[in-house]
Amino acid sequence: MRHAAIVNIVTHAIRLTGVDRVHAVVGGFHLRDGPVIDQTVAALAETSPAVMGPAHCTSWRAHVALAGAFPGGYQPGGFGTQIDL
């Protein structure tokens, strides 16, 4: 099964709930390599989540880009990771 892009999920959640912004984006982003990383990070930055927690299926390059874009909110995830909200 193919997952929807993380940006589509976040924008759909905003549209569905009517909130101004999503507080946290946590999980497997299914974000590998290529120009889609920069595009995805830029689009996520526009939504301004306080917590950015990429996990499985997120490449090291994507983690680095997300950490740079969300210096105060980047929290890498994985099995057993606890993120306090």
Side-chain angles (χ1 to χ4, degrees), residues 2-24:
R2 190 175 165 110
H3 295 269
I6 192 64
V7 173
N8 292 340
I9 293 169
V10 172
T11 55
H12 183 67
I14 291 170
R15 201 171 36 246
L16 190 66
T17 62
V19 299
D20 293 334
R21 95 178 223 228
V22 171
H23 179 72

Side-chain angles (χ1 to χ4, degrees), residues 3-51:
H3 295 269
I6 192 64
V7 173
N8 292 340
I9 293 169
V10 172
T11 55
H12 183 67
I14 291 170
R15 201 171 36 246
L16 190 66
T17 62
V19 299
D20 293 334
R21 95 178 223 228
V22 171
H23 179 72
V25 180
V26 179
F29 291 3
H30 297 261
L31 184 58
R32 300 293 183 180
D33 288 314
V36 71
I37 291 175
D38 294 333
Q39 296 164 357
T40 301
V41 171
L44 288 171
E46 288 179 17
T47 66
S48 304
V51 177

Side-chain angles (χ1 to χ4, degrees), residues 4-5 12 18 31 42 57-58 60 65 71 75 82:
H12 183 67
L31 184 58
C57 300
T58 307
W60 177 248
Q75 297 184 32
Q82 178 177 325

